Amino acid sequence: MLIGALEAGGTKMVCALGNENGTILEQVSIPTTTPEETVEQIVRYFKDKDIKALGVAAFGPVDVKPQSPTYGRILDTPKLAWRHFDFLGALKKELDVPMGLDTDVNGSCLGEMTYGCAQGLDSAIYITIGTGVGVGVCAGGKLLHGMLHPEGGHILLARHPEDPEGGICPYHPNCLEGFASGPSIERRWGKKAVELVDKPEVWELESYYIAQALVNYIMILSPQKIILGGGVMHQEQLFPMIREKVREMIGGYLNTTELADLDHYIVPASLHDDQGIMGCIKLGLDALC
């Protein structure tokens, strides 16, 4: 049985085929241009593949509530051509199969919960730190939506006393995305993260902001595991720094089995950057139920 998987990003759309075991059989990348051009290419890829369902994990904000009159639409995105575009409706018009939809980061969280390092748990968060910052949340065995879906990249943080620049988010002067995203690193230090590996002051600041955010998520969501992905987190020297700062910031207030073993609690993504596509496969499988 073939399941279609669509990881719909603001820069590229990854179209893939998988099976009920979560195995990715093939995948292609399509540039994200206008909605009309992009959907045409997506449909062309899937049209003759005999897929039984399609799972879509989309950039947002996106309406993920099936009971909503705007379900499946991209909402107030800064990508103006996509604003209020009926993405899921356009796909359903051309592809007559059951479809599941969630956010891109919820899709990655689902991939890790189903096939990766969070298997067997009923709560975890997946955080991607790259061009932007997004947070996918699974709580009580279900992906969290609420009034819309989590926008955990925009939680407000205290500015580091040695941060000369501050945040770059146009909406919030002191949010996680504005402080810690790849573009924030580049503006603060004048180079991309991959060019700053040997600059400890860069990672001291970065780990401070990420750790501060993680403590907030721990206190509010009480996840059983925290998974960090995205381009910035390829800088693996960050992990021990983040863990140590989380320990310091919690200050002994919580004492749990998970927090006593931070090496296995705050972890890198485990599916070789395929967690998003694998989450899409699971969304497609769930749409068949």
Side-chain angles (χ1 to χ4, degrees):
M1 181 170 64
L2 289 179
I3 303 296
L6 173 59
E7 189 175 17
T11 302
K12 65 180 179 179
M13 304 271 170
V14 179
C15 303
L17 299 179
N19 61 26
E20 59 268 35
N21 299 317
T23 302
I24 300 170
L25 304 174
E26 66 173 58
Q27 66 182 56
V28 300
S29 181
I30 296 167
T32 302
T33 57
T34 67
E36 295 73 22
E37 290 174 348
T38 307
V39 168
E40 181 183 0
Q41 292 187 68
I42 293 168
V43 169
R44 188 182 305 135
Y45 174 79
F46 286 116
K47 195 76 170 180
D48 61 351
K49 297 294 195 295
D50 193 30
I51 58 173
K52 302 306 179 187
L54 176 65
V56 182
F59 72 93
V62 56
D63 192 332
V64 294
K65 295 193 294 185
Q67 69 273 23
S68 169
T70 56
Y71 173 59
R73 288 182 179 270
I74 305 296
L75 301 176
D76 293 318
T77 173
K79 293 183 71 66
L80 296 180
W82 287 81
R83 187 169 287 188
H84 305 301
F85 177 67
D86 187 3
F87 190 30
L88 197 66
L91 294 172
K92 286 184 172 181
K93 185 177 178 181
E94 301 294 337
L95 300 169
D96 186 21
V97 294
M99 295 186 188
L101 170 71
D102 218 303
T103 67
D104 48 3
V105 283
N106 262 357
S108 292
C109 186
L110 182 62
E112 292 284 0
M113 296 286 291
T114 308
Y115 306 109
C117 65
Q119 288 182 76
L121 305 180
D122 67 10
S123 68
I125 61 175
Y126 176 91
I127 305 162
T128 183
I129 303 174
T131 304
V133 178
V135 180
V137 179
C138 182
K142 296 182 179 180
L143 295 173
L144 181 63
H145 294 151
M147 66 175 182
L148 182 63
H149 51 72
E151 280 291 345
H154 291 270
I155 63 169
L156 305 183
L157 303 177
R159 180 169 166 177
H160 193 288
E162 296 179 12
D163 184 354
E165 295 293 332
I168 65 169
C169 175
Y171 295 95
H172 316 111
N174 57 337
C175 72
L176 174 61
E177 181 171 292
F179 282 139
S181 64
S184 176
I185 293 171
E186 185 174 1
R187 196 179 86 167
R188 184 183 291 119
W189 302 103
K191 295 181 179 179
K192 294 183 181 297
V194 294
E195 302 174 81
L196 295 163
V197 177
D198 60 347
K199 300 290 186 183
E201 63 272 23
V202 174
W203 310 112
E204 174 64 27
L205 214 60
E206 185 74 3
S207 61
Y208 171 83
Y209 287 129
I210 295 171
Q212 192 181 163
L214 297 195
V215 170
N216 287 333
Y217 302 141
I218 289 167
M219 296 299 182
I220 295 169
L221 297 168
S222 198
Q224 294 167 299
K225 192 174 286 287
I226 297 173
I227 305 158
L228 296 172
V232 170
M233 295 313 305
H234 290 160
Q235 302 298 320
E236 295 184 0
Q237 71 272 22
L238 275 169
F239 281 91
M241 300 174 75
I242 291 167
R243 291 172 186 136
E244 183 56 33
K245 286 181 174 61
V246 166
R247 181 181 289 109
E248 292 171 359
M249 290 177 185
I250 287 177
Y253 179 71
L254 298 177
N255 293 285
T256 67
T257 302
E258 291 85 357
L259 292 176
D261 185 11
L262 288 176
D263 287 354
H264 294 95
Y265 181 60
I266 299 170
V267 298
S270 67
L271 296 170
H272 311 290
D273 288 336
D274 285 330
Q275 56 274 359
I277 286 294
M278 295 174 80
C280 291
I281 295 171
K282 176 60 173 169
L283 287 171
L285 287 168
D286 289 347
L288 287 170
C289 299

